[in-house]
Amino acid sequence: MTVEKVAWFDTENWEKEYLENKDFPFEIKFFEESLTKDTAAKTEGFDAVSVFVSSQVSSEVIEELDVDIIACRSTGFDHVDIETASEQGIKICNVPRYGANTVAEHAFGLILTLSRRIHEAISKVENGEFDHQGLKGFDLEGKTLGVVGTGSIGQKVIEMAHGFNMDVLASDPYPKEGLEEELGFMYVSMEDLIKKSDIITIHCPLTDENHHLFSEEQFKLMDETVLINTARGELVDTTALIRALENGNVSRAGLDVLEEECVIEEDIEILGDISDECDPQKIVEDHILMERDDVVVTPHNAFNSREALQRIEDKTLENIEKGRNTVN
Ligand code: NAI
């Protein structure tokens, strides 16, 4: 199979400029819009599509496609219906390790924002209040960090935690041999991790098995725990999180991902023009989270550094050229 034409969805301007100076053996047509049921017709005559996480490549969308490859410009690929793609003989490739340090740095950005109340301090100064009333934070040194998922991002987080003199526990259904000694941490059960960690940071993929990995049952085991999620919104039950923040099981939360990210992407007023795929209750709950002083939300931005983005583009070109199937 030789790819000659690629339909590049979710294109940003910088990507066009960056790719203009690159050599690759196929033609790319750029589309600013996402790949949806409505835009799928634009792929006619193309051998491959490339999408970012903002494209929801559902079975309905895939059934409209006649391409050999879906090239995800992301690590996660839960926005693509893998089963339907496989049934149609479509390869799927992703970019597994473009920015482990990038996402880990963002996770620490969220941790430090919350531990030192930086968001509240900035807003105080912006309001002309130059005092430290109500801004007492806490040290990371000596605290226990619980890392959920010891893949490439989780491992970087563990390395960084040692720079702050933190103790590290981790949980992973597939523990890696020798990693505890190499990086200096201890694998424990999820229950122990939840009970013993001061800060929990999530770095596992969203799968069919771990939807709402953090729900009421898990929050009940926490005590003023800080929760950081830069993985996927659906790993955390938003309703249960709000309750846990209310009753003190969770003291603060730093979220780069939300259960209904359309609330950000569509820039709507609450309950305004919501697409059918968005759950209005979750959107309202996301707004409740965003309004809270003990919660910081960033717009699925952990991957977004110059170096990481360029690595994504390079790897995607390579994946398409080599006809890689990295997912199934
Ligand atoms: P990876 O595949 O290298 O590691 C994932 C690890 O999670 C593996 O060790 C796996 O065994 C473990 N795991 C799977 N299910 C688990 C569970 N239920 N509990 C605990 N551990 C579990 O993936 P990587 O590169 O570290 O990325 C992790 C996730 O981060 C991605 O799947 C993606 O959803 C998210 N991500 C978010 C970004 C953002 O901008 N916010 C950017 C890049 C990735």
Side-chain angles (χ1 to χ4, degrees):
M1 177 211 72
T2 314
V3 171
E4 289 180 2
K5 285 180 81 181
V6 183
W8 202 270
F9 286 90
D10 308 302
T11 308
E12 292 188 6
N13 282 339
W14 73 268
E15 292 184 276
K16 289 189 204 165
E17 283 163 29
Y18 182 70
L19 293 173
E20 257 164 29
N21 299 316
K22 290 264 156 193
D23 277 335
F24 43 85
F26 41 77
E27 183 192 326
I28 292 182
K29 181 151 187 207
F30 296 106
F31 298 97
E32 279 174 22
E33 56 269 49
S34 290
L35 176 58
T36 62
K37 205 164 169 269
D38 295 332
T39 59
K42 297 187 176 187
T43 65
E44 203 184 326
F46 287 84
D47 316 298
V49 291
S50 178
V51 292
F52 184 59
V53 289
S54 30
S55 285
Q56 289 304 314
V57 193
S58 61
S59 57
E60 275 186 316
V61 174
I62 293 172
E63 278 156 16
E64 303 285 321
L65 301 178
D66 182 18
V67 296
D68 297 317
I69 293 191
I70 298 171
C72 299
R73 302 201 297 286
S74 55
T75 301
F77 45 83
D78 46 274
H79 54 300
V80 179
D81 188 314
I82 299 167
E83 217 177 298
T84 313
S86 301
E87 278 162 20
Q88 286 191 206
I90 302 176
K91 293 178 181 176
I92 302 172
C93 52
N94 67 331
V95 186
R97 271 171 292 277
Y98 66 87
N101 66 300
T102 310
V103 178
E105 286 173 24
H106 194 86
F108 265 98
L110 293 174
I111 291 172
L112 288 165
T113 300
L114 292 167
S115 69
R116 304 311 308 270
R117 309 183 82 137
I118 291 171
H119 58 304
E120 291 162 272
I122 291 171
S123 107
K124 217 168 152 59
V125 171
E126 281 173 353
N127 289 331
E129 297 169 49
F130 207 85
D131 64 77
H132 41 77
Q133 199 67 36
L135 294 179
K136 192 193 288 164
F138 65 88
D139 287 352
L140 297 187
E141 182 161 301
K143 298 292 186 303
T144 300
L145 181 69
V147 179
V148 180
T150 54
S152 51
I153 298 171
Q155 289 178 35
K156 284 285 175 191
V157 166
I158 294 170
E159 285 173 4
M160 290 177 193
H162 291 311
F164 289 98
N165 287 333
M166 301 181 84
D167 297 320
V168 184
L169 301 175
S171 162
D172 196 309
Y174 308 100
K176 288 156 191 68
E177 224 184 299
L179 196 65
E180 287 169 304
E181 295 73 31
E182 189 189 329
L183 297 185
F185 71 97
M186 199 197 291
Y187 276 122
V188 291
S189 67
M190 199 51 180
E191 188 175 330
D192 273 354
L193 178 140
I194 291 171
K195 285 181 178 163
K196 293 178 180 164
S197 300
D198 300 297
I199 300 171
I200 295 175
T201 183
I202 311 175
H203 301 291
C204 65
L206 175 68
T207 63
D208 291 340
E209 289 78 46
N210 66 13
H211 182 259
H212 286 181
L213 184 65
F214 285 89
S215 195
E216 197 163 339
E217 194 187 324
Q218 289 70 34
F219 289 130
K220 270 190 194 153
L221 302 174
M222 297 184 189
D223 183 18
E224 295 193 1
T225 309
V226 175
L227 182 74
I228 304 295
N229 187 8
T230 59
R232 283 294 178 269
E234 291 79 0
L235 291 161
V236 176
D237 178 345
T238 313
T239 317
L241 174 60
I242 292 171
R243 211 169 296 142
L245 283 157
E246 288 292 335
N247 65 26
N249 291 125
V250 173
S251 61
R252 299 169 201 191
L255 310 170
D256 186 48
V257 285
L258 295 170
E259 265 199 277
E260 284 294 356
E261 291 186 3
C262 42
V263 67
I264 290 164
E265 285 158 15
E266 294 186 357
D267 195 24
I268 50 160
E269 307 228 335
I270 297 184
L271 298 182
D273 181 21
I274 305 169
S275 96
D276 293 346
E277 284 154 27
C278 304
D279 175 350
Q281 188 194 328
K282 292 289 172 208
I283 291 173
V284 173
E285 287 176 347
D286 286 343
H287 272 276
I288 292 171
L289 283 177
M290 286 187 260
E291 292 299 315
R292 295 183 68 103
D293 285 343
D294 50 8
V295 177
V296 284
V297 176
T298 49
H300 200 145
N301 196 45
F303 68 95
N304 194 8
S305 77
R306 183 182 53 225
E307 294 78 4
L309 292 177
Q310 293 179 353
R311 285 193 291 268
I312 295 180
E313 301 295 295
D314 293 347
K315 196 70 186 173
T316 302
L317 294 176
E318 195 184 306
N319 282 342
I320 297 171
E321 187 177 344
K322 302 220 159 122
R324 285 197 182 120
N325 197 7
T326 56
V327 166
N328 50 0

